[in-house]
Amino acid sequence: MKHEIPHIGLPKDEVLEQLRKMRLHDVDYNAGKVWSLVYPYSAEHLDFVKAAFNEYFSENALNPMAFKSLKKMEHEVVRMAANLFHGGDFAVGTMSSGGTESLLLAVKTYRDLWRSKNETLWNKIRGSKNQFPEMILPESAHIAFNKASHYFDVKIVYAPLDENKRVNVSEVEKLINKNTILIVGSAPSYPFGTIDPIAELSNLALKYKLPLHVDACVGGFILPFIEKNNRSLPLWDFRVPGVTSISADIHKYGFAAKGASVILYRSMEYLRHQFFANSEWTGGMFISPALLGTRPGGAIAAAWATLMYMGQAAYIQNAENIMQTTDKIIQGIKNMPELKLVGTPHASLFAYNSVSPDVDIYAIADQMEKKGWHIDRQQKPACLHGMVSPVHANTADQYLSDLREAIDFVKQHPELKNEGNAAMYGMMAKLPMRGMIENELLNLMEQMYSVEGQTPDLDSDRKDFKTQMASLLIKMKDKVDGWMK
Ligand SMILES: *Cc1c(COP(=O)(O)O)cnc(C)c1O
């Protein structure tokens, strides 16, 4: 279809009506049947956050001299987060547009810090085809680090996980070499909800004088409150001496508007390598703290307002409610002999797989989707993922009973693992040529962003590879960061 800006604009009501209609086929996150992407809190809370966002709808944090209000709010959000994470009087940082931007910034900062201290080695590496600065990641680290690697030419070296799905620290030590610029741990990891052994990683970081970034994008605004409910957690924040930076998203368990994260460093010694300054531009002298140019004021105002309005008491109570729901679901899964938790989750995220040869976990996912759930499938190992929000208090029992039914149904219908998405996932896991799959994924992106802007057709009966890939990708879209959102 050919799209043109209408010559004469349409009536407001008609346009708004179109907006509402387009939403009809989206996932319904308020019903508590979705386990990622959106963090619903309450209708009243949403109204408040929208009001705060709209107050600063037009303001632009690109120029903090022009909008001193936003500068002040960003400063206060960073200070509040620094205190929450025990950063003392020296921790500094900036806000960013989300977890991905915070992680991109961390990798860029440490690359440039390393470069400033190792100019000779840096030049040598730049002249060599197969040497790069390296960062050591747990296998469970977020995919945004891969994006950072792709953008900033920092090579990823993976450290394997232990049986609890925490990074194996002695394996990390073996991977350290002269090109290492950074060690990473997660609190918790997105796929398994486990907190890496940050204290042990910190010992390594101090021993080898390396920076240690803790990715608390999902955990930053819930772990401190879980701890305040006297639930025991391993230490992961600035109380651990080798931790040099922390990323934490306010648009996840902080319940702010989307577009709000913080990246904090132990001191200015690190943060200074994040900044950009240029005095030669024809448009004038220019400075910028983060990746974006124009920075939406609404997201900053909403983050500030949400922290002020919620207060610690509500975050603490909310964390307890979420953990009670999580405990219930985890106990329910443990009670099903066919299933097993993958690793030992520390917070409100979990994953489980099948330990029964006649229960294919992806066939379970298909059955759960037939019952109206939106299920996130993971790989390595094949498992299903959950991330608990306040709304799930109302749906946890239903989730467990549907899961029980799905297991029984799949046992009676062994053919299901060779049908639908289960078959697709089973096949994909066995395909040896990962490069070929990535090429297909990139082809799919070209189709989606082509002039026609195709949306892959899930319900198509055609069984060619591309269609199957497309339907697989639809299911995986939550995992393919920033994809089609
Ligand atoms: C969500 C998440 C990110 C990325 O955050 P976005 O806001 O989606 O860009 C990074 N790390 C972890 C552990 C996450 O859960």
Side-chain angles (χ1 to χ4, degrees):
M1 205 184 16
K2 188 172 167 194
H3 292 277
E4 236 176 16
I5 300 172
H7 185 56
I8 307 281
L10 308 179
K12 274 185 225 162
D13 288 343
E14 193 184 320
V15 176
L16 291 174
E17 190 48 37
Q18 283 197 30
L19 281 182
R20 293 183 193 115
K21 268 209 190 118
M22 279 192 271
R23 174 186 279 153
L24 289 176
H25 301 290
D26 290 353
V27 292
D28 177 8
Y29 46 87
N30 285 316
K33 291 197 144 190
V34 182
W35 298 87
S36 61
L37 296 173
V38 184
Y39 296 70
Y41 189 78
S42 74
E44 188 216 347
H45 178 86
L46 187 63
D47 285 343
F48 171 78
V49 178
K50 283 181 184 170
F53 192 102
N54 283 339
E55 282 291 332
Y56 280 81
F57 187 86
S58 304
E59 278 78 353
N60 186 348
L62 168 64
N63 186 339
M65 324 299 191
F67 297 107
K68 296 193 175 64
S69 54
L70 290 174
K71 175 73 203 62
K72 176 175 155 62
M73 283 185 259
E74 179 177 15
H75 176 74
E76 292 184 18
V77 166
V78 165
R79 297 306 338 138
M80 286 189 267
N83 272 316
L84 188 64
F85 307 150
H86 303 92
D89 293 338
F90 296 103
V92 287
T94 66
M95 287 186 70
S96 81
S97 60
T100 299
E101 188 185 348
S102 289
L103 295 181
L104 290 175
L105 286 168
V107 173
K108 176 246 175 289
T109 296
Y110 290 122
R111 186 199 65 179
D112 291 352
L113 170 69
W114 185 79
R115 177 183 184 170
S116 74
K117 291 185 177 165
N118 302 277
E119 197 60 43
T120 319
L121 189 52
W122 168 265
N123 286 331
K124 198 172 143 208
I125 285 181
R126 289 302 294 258
S128 127
K129 270 211 175 77
N130 38 26
Q131 277 204 74
F132 296 94
E134 296 179 6
M135 53 181 164
I136 303 173
L137 304 185
E139 279 175 353
S140 53
H142 194 268
I143 188 72
F145 285 106
N146 301 64
K147 210 184 246 184
S149 161
H150 188 67
Y151 290 177
F152 300 134
D153 268 356
V154 176
K155 180 178 157 191
I156 292 176
V157 188
Y158 277 118
L161 310 179
D162 66 18
E163 65 281 5
N164 291 316
K165 296 294 175 196
R166 307 172 83 201
V167 75
N168 182 325
V169 178
S170 52
E171 294 293 329
V172 172
E173 183 162 19
K174 288 186 205 155
L175 296 171
I176 296 174
N177 66 34
K178 65 179 189 333
N179 292 348
T180 307
I181 66 161
L182 171 65
I183 300 173
V184 169
S186 309
S189 73
Y190 178 84
F192 309 118
T194 47
I195 301 178
D196 285 314
I198 303 298
E200 288 80 1
L201 290 176
S202 158
N203 291 340
L204 283 188
L206 295 172
K207 180 170 162 193
Y208 293 94
K209 296 195 169 47
L210 286 169
L212 170 58
H213 179 82
V214 175
D215 178 8
C217 278
V218 71
F221 287 88
I222 189 164
L223 295 177
F225 305 114
I226 293 176
E227 188 183 326
K228 285 183 180 157
N229 285 310
N230 293 320
R231 286 171 176 260
S232 79
L233 286 177
L235 288 188
W236 59 272
D237 63 13
F238 286 121
R239 283 171 291 182
V240 184
V243 172
T244 52
S245 55
I246 295 174
S247 49
D249 295 349
I250 317 174
H251 66 201
K252 290 181 178 161
Y253 284 114
F255 303 106
K258 286 190 176 48
S261 175
V262 286
I263 169 76
L264 302 181
Y265 299 89
R266 186 172 284 277
S267 71
M268 189 55 78
E269 186 194 336
Y270 302 98
L271 175 59
R272 73 163 59 99
H273 295 280
Q274 181 178 303
F275 297 147
F276 176 81
N278 189 302
S279 62
E280 299 295 327
W281 184 37
T282 42
M285 285 194 266
F286 186 82
I287 47 173
S288 167
L291 287 186
L292 303 188
T294 290
R295 303 167 77 208
I300 295 174
W304 181 88
T306 305
L307 295 174
M308 298 302 283
Y309 164 75
M310 287 279 288
Q312 301 222 16
Y315 279 120
I316 291 170
Q317 181 59 54
N318 171 68
E320 184 55 25
N321 296 347
I322 287 181
M323 287 312 293
Q324 285 182 13
T325 306
T326 310
D327 290 346
K328 177 194 263 188
I329 297 173
I330 284 182
Q331 192 52 50
I333 290 169
K334 284 183 176 164
N335 290 344
M336 298 183 205
E338 298 86 350
L339 303 182
K340 190 173 185 305
L341 282 181
V342 183
T344 320
H346 288 102
S348 50
L349 289 81
F350 58 87
Y352 55 93
N353 61 3
S354 162
V355 287
S356 167
D358 52 352
V359 176
D360 180 89
I361 198 70
Y362 294 141
I364 299 289
D366 290 349
Q367 290 310 306
M368 289 297 276
E369 295 206 323
K370 289 218 166 102
K371 295 172 188 289
W373 299 93
H374 180 86
I375 301 292
D376 291 323
R377 297 156 175 85
Q378 303 194 125
Q379 47 184 356
K380 300 195 259 182
C383 61
L384 309 184
H385 187 253
M387 179 160 62
V388 180
S389 276
V391 281
H392 295 121
N394 307 321
T395 55
D397 288 319
Q398 186 71 47
Y399 182 76
L400 291 171
S401 61
D402 283 355
L403 200 48
R404 183 65 259 163
E405 274 179 23
I407 295 169
D408 294 336
F409 191 81
V410 167
K411 277 181 163 174
Q412 286 154 19
H413 297 87
E415 73 282 3
L416 286 175
K417 75 168 193 289
N418 301 319
E419 292 173 10
N421 286 303
M424 188 62 210
Y425 261 79
M427 181 184 107
M428 295 291 298
K430 288 184 204 118
L431 282 181
M433 288 174 284
R434 311 312 290 180
M436 188 180 93
I437 298 178
E438 266 153 37
N439 269 340
E440 284 303 322
L441 296 176
L442 290 171
N443 284 341
L444 196 84
M445 293 289 282
E446 289 189 22
Q447 285 175 33
M448 285 194 309
Y449 287 90
S450 66
V451 175
E452 293 79 27
Q454 294 163 14
T455 303
D457 183 4
L458 235 193
D459 304 319
S460 164
D461 286 333
R462 288 188 304 135
K463 287 278 186 277
D464 62 282
F465 186 64
K466 278 216 172 94
T467 313
Q468 291 197 27
M469 284 295 296
S471 84
L472 166 79
L473 275 168
I474 287 276
K475 297 294 172 189
M476 274 179 43
K477 67 177 183 300
D478 311 335
K479 301 287 170 298
V480 184
D481 212 3
W483 189 79
M484 241 180 64
K485 276 182 196 164

